[in-house]
Amino acid sequence: MPIDKKIRVLVAKPGLDGHDRGAKVIARALRDAGMEVIYTGLRQTPEMVVNAAVQEDVDVIGLSILSGAHNAIVPRVMELLKQHGVDDVLVMVGGIIPDQDVDGLKAKGVNAVFQPGTPLDDIVRFIRENVKPRGVAA
């Protein structure tokens, strides 16, 4: 990624979960780390998340899910990204994700799963180390 281009991150709260404190903490930490953050707000559909990601030309999508609906929402987001030809975006999921579901989410194309208690610096570091330069094939 060129040094003069800020990493663009979409932070989204898909599903019916109305708790967004964690998403706001993450958004703030990423902004403080020099990233450009677009926060979609609560109760986003997978379609709304993907449309926002495409329109905003983001480098990273961070999905915050506390409702337990991750096994329904995440596969739909990944399917829609594929339909839109978006294959160069880093996808991360955070929230209440049981250990037994992590491998399944990664098999669907999620790059990282961050559970409660993950240090914010670890998330920032992961993004910086794994964002793909735009327009370069993986």
Side-chain angles (χ1 to χ4, degrees):
M1 165 132 324
I3 294 201
D4 59 342
K5 183 182 180 293
K6 282 188 173 187
I7 296 172
R8 291 175 58 87
V9 182
L10 180 82
V11 176
K13 286 289 304 174
L16 299 177
D17 170 26
H19 299 89
D20 65 350
R21 182 180 296 172
K24 288 179 177 176
V25 168
I26 294 293
R28 181 66 174 259
L30 298 179
R31 269 192 206 113
D32 289 351
M35 298 179 199
E36 187 173 342
V37 179
I38 299 100
Y39 175 58
T40 63
L42 293 169
R43 297 179 185 89
Q44 300 290 297
T45 65
E47 290 78 7
M48 292 163 77
V49 171
V50 172
N51 286 336
V54 170
Q55 289 174 0
E56 295 288 347
D57 192 29
V58 298
D59 302 298
V60 181
I61 298 172
L63 303 172
S64 174
I65 305 174
L66 302 175
S67 65
H70 52 276
N71 285 327
I73 292 170
V74 172
R76 179 69 179 144
V77 168
M78 301 309 291
E79 176 185 319
L80 289 166
L81 288 171
K82 188 178 288 185
Q83 287 176 12
H84 281 83
V86 177
D87 58 1
D88 58 350
V89 171
L90 195 67
V91 179
M92 307 179 319
V93 177
I96 308 299
I97 312 296
D99 291 339
Q100 65 265 26
D101 293 345
V102 171
D103 288 340
L105 292 174
K106 288 183 177 181
K108 296 284 184 195
V110 170
N111 300 98
V113 176
F114 297 107
Q115 295 165 311
T118 301
L120 297 173
D121 287 343
D122 289 358
I123 297 169
V124 169
R125 184 174 24 264
F126 180 84
I127 291 171
R128 286 189 175 141
E129 290 174 357
N130 291 283
V131 164
K132 299 172 186 147
R134 302 303 288 207
V136 177

